[in-house]
Amino acid sequence: MHRDDFPILTQHVHGKPLVYLDNAATTQKPTAVTDAIVEAYTTWNANIHRGTHHLSIVATEKHEQARALLASFIGAAEPEEIVFTRGTTESLNLLAFSFGEAFVSEGDEIVVSTLEHHSNIVPWQMLCERKKAVLKVIPLRDDLTLDIDALPGLLTQHTKIVSVALVSNVLGTVQPVQEIIRLAHERHIPVCVDGAQAAPHLPVSVRAMDCDFFVCSAHKMYGPTGIGLLYGKRSWLEQLPPYQGGGEMIEHVRWSGTTYNQLPYRFEAGTPDYVGSYAFGVAVRYMQTIGVETLSQHESELIAYAEQQLQQVEGVVVYAAGQKKAGALSFNVYDTSGKLVHPFDIGTLLDRQGIAVRTGHHCAEPLIDHLGVPGTVRLSIALYNSTEDIDAFILALRRATQMLA
Ligand code: PMP
C-alpha cells in the first residue's frame, strides 16, 4: 500500500531488496513529510510566538495548526489539551514529574502493568523513589493477557494514577484499556494511556476512551524524530505544575517570583520543535488521507497472515498466538533438541538477507523476564508492508533456521 511514497524502501541491503519489518522501533517517512521539513526550512523558518514579523507569524500559525490537527486526530476536546514534547518518553517523564509533584506523597501508590515499555516504568519508579511511594504491577495470566481480575485488588484509597499501554510494543497485543479505565474511574483514579504503539495502527479517540492522559511519538507514525505529544484533559493539566522552566512557559518573571503561562505553553519551555510539529501534522494528514480504518484493516490482515505463516515454520513459538494484535508480533525459534536459538542470531541471519527485524528485550525487560527468555524476535509492520514482504521474511527465516540446524 502506497509504497512509492517511501523512497527509502527501494534500496538493497547486503545485495537483497530491503524488507523493513522494524516499524515498531520507527516507521519510514513518506515524501510528503520529508518535503514538508525541507519546505519549512527553505520557505518559512523563524522562531515562533511573540514575533511581529511575517515569517514568525507564519511559523506560529503552522505550529498551532499542527496542534489543532493532532487534537482532532486523537479526538481531544481542544488543542490546548495537546502539549508538544520530544516524544512518548518525555511525555511520560513530564507527567510522572508534574503529576507526582501535585498529587503523590509518601505511601501513595501508582499502578502499571507487567508488559510496559521502560519509559512507562522508570519515570514512575523515579517518582516513587523521590516521594517514597509504591509502584504496583498488574500481573499477566499464563496466556500473556493482563490479569484484569487482579486490578480491583490493586486499586486502593492510596492509588493516585494508573498508567498502561494500549498496545504492547513486544507482543503487539491490544490491552483491555477500556476496562482498566472503567475500574479506575469508579474509584476516581485517573488513567494514562501509552499510545506509542496504538496511534500508528488504530483509530484513537481519547474522548471515547475517556482516558485522562495519552502519549505518543511522531516517529512511529510516519513523522519526524524528536517530537511527540502529551494529551491531558484540561481539568487535569490545569492542576499540574510546570516540568521545565525557561522561555515561553512564563507569564511574568520578577525577582520576587515567576507566574506561569496558560495551557499548553506552561509545559513547553524553550523554543519548541515547530518544524517537527508541522511535519507531525503532515504525517497524520497523510494517515488520514489513506484512512486510519483502511490502514488498520490492512495491517491486521497482514499481521494475522504473518502469524499463520510463522506457525508453519518448525521450531517457531509465537507469543500470545491467536490474540488480537496491532502492528507487531514476537516469536522465538527452538532447534530440534528443543534449545532456544538466540534471537540475535536469527536477527543477524535475517539482516544478511535484507530483512530488518528487531531482537532483544525491546525496552521491556520485566515482560521478557516473565517470558523466561533472553529476548524475542519482533516483526512489526506499517501500511507500506505487503504479503510479499511477509513471504520474503518467512523464506529468509527458513533459510536461517536451516543454517543454524
Ligand atoms: N512506549 C511504548 C509502548 C513504545 O513502544 C515506545 C517506543 N519503543 C515508547 C514508549 C518510547 O517511545 P520513544 O522512544 O519514542 O520516546
Side-chain angles (χ1 to χ4, degrees):
M1 219 158 94
H2 303 273
R3 208 179 173 87
D4 294 347
D5 296 341
F6 298 83
I8 198 171
L9 297 174
T10 57
Q11 69 187 286
H12 283 59
V13 169
H14 304 306
K16 300 278 171 11
L18 169 65
V19 176
Y20 187 77
L21 297 170
D22 190 21
N23 295 284
T26 200
T27 55
Q28 301 303 346
K29 320 304 171 198
T31 39
V33 169
T34 51
D35 285 353
I37 294 168
V38 173
E39 173 220 312
Y41 283 121
T42 51
T43 61
W44 53 260
N45 175 56
N47 208 332
I48 62 167
H49 296 145
R50 298 177 315 278
T52 46
H53 64 82
H54 173 72
L55 290 187
S56 175
I57 292 164
V58 173
T60 305
E61 277 169 12
K62 302 272 189 198
H63 183 63
E64 294 307 328
Q65 280 164 3
R67 193 190 306 278
L69 189 61
L70 282 154
S72 112
F73 186 74
I74 64 161
E78 45 179 338
E80 289 74 21
E81 293 178 323
I82 303 294
V83 176
F84 283 119
T85 64
R86 283 196 301 119
T88 301
T89 302
E90 190 176 54
S91 298
L92 289 165
N93 276 275
L94 189 169
L95 181 64
F97 178 85
S98 292
F99 187 91
E101 284 306 292
F103 296 109
V104 179
S105 42
E106 187 168 348
D108 284 340
E109 297 165 4
I110 287 150
V111 175
V112 297
S113 90
T114 309
L115 48 69
E116 300 309 317
H117 187 280
H118 294 163
S119 58
N120 197 25
I121 299 174
V122 184
W124 302 113
Q125 279 182 326
M126 289 163 72
L127 165 64
C128 287
E129 221 164 275
R130 209 167 68 241
K131 298 283 184 173
K132 298 192 174 58
V134 181
L135 191 63
K136 290 179 147 186
V137 186
I138 309 172
L140 288 178
R141 300 189 184 105
D142 289 346
D143 65 358
L144 305 179
T145 57
L146 276 191
D147 187 359
I148 204 83
D149 298 333
L151 185 56
L154 293 174
L155 300 175
T156 73
Q157 79 227 46
H158 302 293
T159 311
K160 294 297 171 182
I161 191 166
V162 177
S163 191
V164 287
L166 178 47
V167 173
S168 159
N169 70 304
V170 178
L171 306 173
T173 44
V174 182
Q175 303 306 314
V177 159
Q178 209 59 74
E179 182 65 1
I180 293 172
I181 292 171
R182 189 183 67 75
L183 290 167
H185 281 185
E186 273 174 13
R187 295 156 177 82
H188 309 290
I189 300 164
V191 177
C192 170
V193 172
D194 176 351
Q197 297 296 344
H201 304 293
L202 303 172
V204 165
S205 169
V206 291
R207 252 181 310 170
M209 234 189 304
D210 198 27
C211 58
D212 302 279
F213 302 99
F214 182 89
V215 295
C216 62
S217 297
H219 71 94
K220 297 181 195 288
M221 304 163 67
Y222 312 98
T225 54
I227 188 139
L229 63 83
L230 165 67
Y231 157 84
K233 282 181 184 163
R234 175 181 276 279
S235 54
W236 278 112
L237 287 181
E238 275 176 344
Q239 298 180 70
L240 302 188
Y243 172 53
Q244 294 182 326
E248 202 56 46
M249 51 77 73
I250 54 94
E251 182 188 35
H252 292 296
V253 178
R254 300 285 180 271
W255 294 122
S256 54
T258 291
T259 51
Y260 302 123
N261 205 342
Q262 63 201 32
L263 291 180
Y265 310 113
R266 183 159 14 129
F267 299 107
E268 294 181 354
T271 299
D273 183 2
Y274 52 84
V275 175
S277 61
Y278 172 61
F280 191 3
V282 171
V284 301
R285 223 182 300 131
Y286 178 80
M287 289 174 73
Q288 283 172 326
T289 306
I290 289 164
V292 179
E293 296 277 2
T294 306
L295 72 86
S296 187
Q297 180 64 26
H298 166 72
E299 291 175 350
S300 103
E301 283 165 18
L302 205 55
I303 211 77
Y305 178 69
E307 180 165 319
Q308 179 233 328
Q309 291 296 307
L310 263 173
Q311 284 178 315
Q312 288 167 30
V313 181
E314 208 181 318
V316 166
V317 172
V318 178
Y319 295 102
Q323 291 172 37
K324 181 173 156 57
K325 299 187 181 69
L329 59 75
S330 261
F331 69 94
N332 264 313
V333 180
Y334 290 82
D335 67 17
T336 43
S337 65
K339 200 165 140 279
L340 177 86
V341 180
H342 200 286
F344 183 77
D345 294 340
I346 299 287
T348 306
L349 288 172
L350 290 175
D351 173 60
R352 291 274 123 202
Q353 301 175 75
I355 317 281
V357 294
R358 189 150 295 241
T359 65
H361 58 56
H362 315 293
C363 295
E365 283 190 330
L367 172 58
I368 297 297
D369 287 349
H370 178 94
L371 298 178
V373 289
T376 72
V377 187
R378 181 184 68 188
L379 168 154
S380 58
I381 57 167
L383 64 89
Y384 40 70
N385 289 118
S386 60
T387 48
E388 288 76 28
D389 289 341
I390 304 300
D391 292 341
F393 155 78
I394 294 287
L395 188 64
L397 180 66
R398 285 188 192 280
R399 282 205 198 107
T401 54
Q402 276 158 16
M403 282 166 77
L404 289 162

